[in-house]
Amino acid sequence: LCYFCTYSQEAKASDNVPTLIIAPRFDVNPYIPTGSEGVRGVDFGNSSLCSLLEGSIGENFSYSMCNHWITTETRPLYQNILRTDESDFIDWLTLSYSVGNFTFTAGKDMVAIGGYELDPMDVVQHPIICSKFFQDCSIFQLSAKVEYTTADEASTIGFQFANSIFSQLQPFKERLFAYSLTWYGDYDWFAPIWSVNMLEYERGTFVKVASLGSGFYFGDASIELDLMYKHLNYDGSNHEFSPACKFNYNFNNKFELFAKAGYEYRSGMDILGWEDEMGFFPTDISGGSYAYYGIGAHYYPLKNSQDLRLHTIVASNSYAKSIAVNVGITYLFNLTETIRKHR
């Protein structure tokens, strides 16, 4: 209802109407054990109903809101409102002001940690071939940031002040903060998403992070290389190193093959871990390592569009003693374009 009111008002004023995308996804994810202790059973993977609303107010202001309305565990989305250690039904809600080459943004936003794995909307991501950091991190927090984009729009440098991902109560109650410096680039064959971060773990104690996501493009092929290093103590007693690589090959924008592998090493405490419990993913890998890998395919059946996506993935890891086979469908339904076509 809010969207249709906004659409009607802005449509009368100008052609710049808000864009609303409704994104349902349905997955089926059976687990096939490869040993006597392997995980078995079936779940619904990343099945969810999301939406993305974006638009502008005048010449300088813009807004963006992404919501998770339904997931495989819907109730916590509405019970965890304003908690900083859990997900709720608002992924992000931001207001931006642009003047010249600068953009100022405030609201609930993704903590600006670099890398390709954290960049897409969750509904289009495949968690079964993602890192433990992706599984555990409470990435959406209240924040404020400023960004500068070069005249050729090839690079954007940003600084963000945010609530820390290690907060466990309401925003700012524990006074744990995050400071991030980012670089986004687009240089034809090379597209970096890099950051250095100071994430407050306890008052006055920071996890130092360097996260370098690099995209390389060669015709129909691409490589996404993520390198993340996390450091808790200056003496080197607790550090983590997490490389990951994904290879994609696109066939005429209709069919895509991809393979991904990653590795995580921790010399000390797993700072995002908790008591280990049986499942496809480990919950604590303190003083150890973990590898994950998988192959998959995307198929886009609509003519001249990638809005509808069919996917299948086969994945495993060094912990699960089983193989996951994920099959699903995702539809990025652009309601704005549909209304325009039928006006």
Side-chain angles (χ1 to χ4, degrees):
L1 179 60
C2 293
Y3 169 74
F4 284 108
C5 291
T6 305
Y7 182 98
S8 177
Q9 293 171 358
E10 294 201 18
K12 292 177 181 178
S14 68
D15 293 330
N16 189 18
V17 298
T19 296
L20 176 61
I21 295 174
I22 307 297
R25 171 170 173 160
F26 181 73
D27 286 2
V28 177
N29 200 140
Y31 299 97
I32 305 169
T34 57
S36 59
E37 299 179 357
V39 177
R40 64 184 70 225
V42 178
D43 64 29
F44 295 103
N46 199 25
S47 297
S48 56
L49 175 64
C50 301
S51 66
L52 175 64
L53 177 66
E54 294 184 318
S56 60
I57 306 171
E59 296 183 357
N60 301 100
F61 287 95
S62 61
Y63 56 87
S64 179
M65 179 171 65
C66 182
N67 296 91
H68 254 91
W69 301 111
I70 300 173
T71 68
T72 54
E73 297 182 10
T74 297
R75 181 177 295 181
L77 295 179
Y78 301 93
Q79 293 177 331
N80 295 328
I81 297 174
L82 294 182
R83 286 193 65 92
T84 58
D85 58 341
E86 300 286 350
S87 299
D88 63 24
F89 73 97
I90 300 175
D91 285 349
W92 71 77
L93 174 59
T94 61
L95 179 66
S96 298
Y97 176 75
S98 298
V99 56
N101 293 57
F102 288 92
T103 300
F104 303 87
T105 301
K108 186 178 182 182
D109 201 355
M110 177 181 289
V111 176
I113 300 174
Y116 273 79
E117 188 174 78
L118 295 172
D119 191 50
M121 286 177 60
D122 182 69
V123 72
V124 301
Q125 185 59 275
H126 300 302
I128 61 169
I129 51 172
C130 286
S131 67
K132 188 177 181 299
F133 185 77
F134 176 92
Q135 313 288 345
D136 297 343
C137 180
S138 298
I139 195 68
F140 296 106
Q141 303 286 345
L142 292 181
S143 76
K145 68 180 177 182
V146 56
E147 295 177 306
Y148 173 81
T149 301
T150 57
D152 60 2
E153 299 185 348
S155 285
T156 297
I157 305 297
F159 175 78
Q160 182 192 60
F161 169 76
N163 199 62
S164 175
I165 65 171
F166 296 108
S167 298
Q168 297 181 359
L169 299 171
Q170 284 72 34
F172 307 120
K173 186 172 183 178
E174 297 171 293
R175 298 180 60 81
L176 301 179
F177 302 114
Y179 308 88
S180 304
L181 182 64
T182 59
W183 173 39
Y184 287 79
D186 186 358
Y187 296 93
D188 295 327
W189 64 273
F190 175 55
I193 306 176
W194 289 12
S195 76
V196 290
N197 314 83
M198 298 280 286
L199 310 177
E200 200 165 14
Y201 178 68
E202 297 174 341
R203 285 293 292 157
T205 301
F206 289 87
V207 176
K208 281 73 69 176
V209 179
S211 187
L212 310 180
S214 301
F216 303 92
Y217 301 93
F218 313 96
D220 293 323
S222 65
I223 295 174
E224 297 170 3
L225 179 64
D226 285 344
L227 302 174
M228 181 181 288
Y229 180 77
K230 297 188 287 293
H231 196 276
L232 183 56
N233 299 321
Y234 281 111
D235 62 5
S237 60
N238 196 348
H239 64 269
E240 305 176 5
F241 179 60
S242 308
C245 184
K246 183 181 179 185
F247 174 80
N248 306 271
Y249 193 87
N250 188 296
F251 298 86
N252 297 320
N253 294 320
K254 297 291 290 182
F255 185 70
E256 183 179 39
L257 293 176
F258 58 89
K260 182 178 179 180
Y263 177 78
E264 299 185 67
Y265 168 77
R266 286 162 174 76
S267 66
M269 176 184 63
D270 187 344
I271 54 180
L272 286 173
W274 64 91
E275 183 178 356
D276 204 13
E277 50 190 55
M278 188 62 179
F280 188 72
F281 305 104
T283 56
D284 190 300
I285 53 174
S286 296
S289 61
Y290 166 67
Y292 55 96
Y293 33 84
I295 58 173
H298 294 152
Y299 174 63
Y300 304 97
L302 298 182
K303 184 177 180 180
N304 299 323
S305 171
Q306 292 191 344
D307 291 344
L308 180 62
R309 184 189 74 182
L310 308 179
H311 72 262
T312 183
I313 302 165
V314 178
S316 188
N317 59 60
S318 60
Y319 173 83
K321 299 182 177 64
S322 64
I323 296 173
V325 181
N326 182 272
V327 179
I329 181 171
T330 306
Y331 187 28
L332 304 181
F333 175 62
N334 192 322
L335 183 59
T336 304
E337 289 299 320
T338 301
I339 293 174
R340 280 174 172 162
K341 291 178 181 178
H342 293 87
R343 285 180 62 184

